[in-house]
Amino acid sequence: MVSPLLTDLFESHRTHLLSVAYRLTGSVGDAEDAVQESWLRLAGVHQSEIDDLRAWLTTVVSRICLDHLRSAAVRRETYVGQWLPEPIVTVSARTPDPLDVVVRNQDSRLAAMVVLDALTPQQRVALVLHDSLDVPFDEIAAIIGVSPDAARQLAVRARKAAARAPEPVADEVHDAAVRRFLAALATGDVAAVAATLHPDATFTADAGGTTKTALNVVEGADRIARLALGLWRKHLLEAGLELAPAAVNGQSGLVLTDPNSPFGRPVRVIGFAVREGKVWAAYDFANAAKLSGARSR
């Protein structure tokens, strides 16, 4: 039986473990499952076998997440369209949620998570554990099953890929760019919308074949402006969905809900990344099965 003291100690590390697991898997559900599994494994270990509980739990969660990543890689082979990490959405703050703390870390911003999702499972584990948590390469090597030198090389390659993500901008800069984008959408003018988008802007939709959306990444301000206006008309003017602001991975985004749904769960979430004061990337999360991190409050 786990002692009340050990239970309290585990709970004190829960947010840390969720943060690690989310960055490793890109899935809220998988992250929560990994943390719960680490608790079950802790219950089966004698306390005398653990020198540093936080380090022990981090290692256990990392191993579990690596298994989840390998399973996800198999699922992605048959996934329809683009694959995005699951967003963490905060609509209000009435109920404390450990996920709210997770997204305070800039490493959990959408653009950074998208880059992590493009890495191999071993690269991702090596990068997150070493660069974010200062875990030595010999310990990382033991987790992913390679030599320390190989673990170091995995982290180097992952670091180069991660450098493609833009630096997160201040919240007020992000908010202003999103407001200008929404105001332009309301005018219905393609040129006005395009003017709020970065010249290198991209639009990525993840629907998994559950609804009609762009299967490929859309590039270019004009093309994205036309697509965004089409979605605006389809979902808000024709389908009658309701649009509300929300924090998506810690920065302003949008949530679409069906007013006729008895549960009020989001049916679509849109997140953004901003560069040079304009919307640089829009992420359309349209697969309801991947919205477990969109809390109803």
Side-chain angles (χ1 to χ4, degrees), residues 32-92:
E32 292 176 329
D33 287 347
V35 173
Q36 183 60 26
E37 178 63 24
S38 73
W39 165 247
L40 296 175
R41 294 190 186 185
L42 176 62
V45 176
H46 196 279
Q47 296 178 33
S48 63
E49 300 177 34
I50 303 174
D51 295 326
D52 183 331
L53 180 60
R54 181 185 175 96
W56 186 90
L57 287 168
T58 300
T59 297
V60 170
V61 164
S62 298
R63 293 182 189 277
I64 296 169
C65 288
L66 184 59
D67 291 338
H68 280 299
L69 281 172
R70 288 167 173 160
S71 176
V74 174
R75 296 198 304 269
R76 289 172 69 160
E77 291 177 0
T78 57
Y79 197 76
V80 178
Q82 304 302 307
W83 178 291
L84 289 171
E86 294 180 12
I88 295 177
V89 183
T90 304
V91 177
S92 67

Side-chain angles (χ1 to χ4, degrees), residues 203-218:
F203 176 95
T204 307
D206 179 342
T210 61
T211 187
K212 289 185 178 180
T213 189
L215 288 178
N216 299 313
V217 177
V218 179

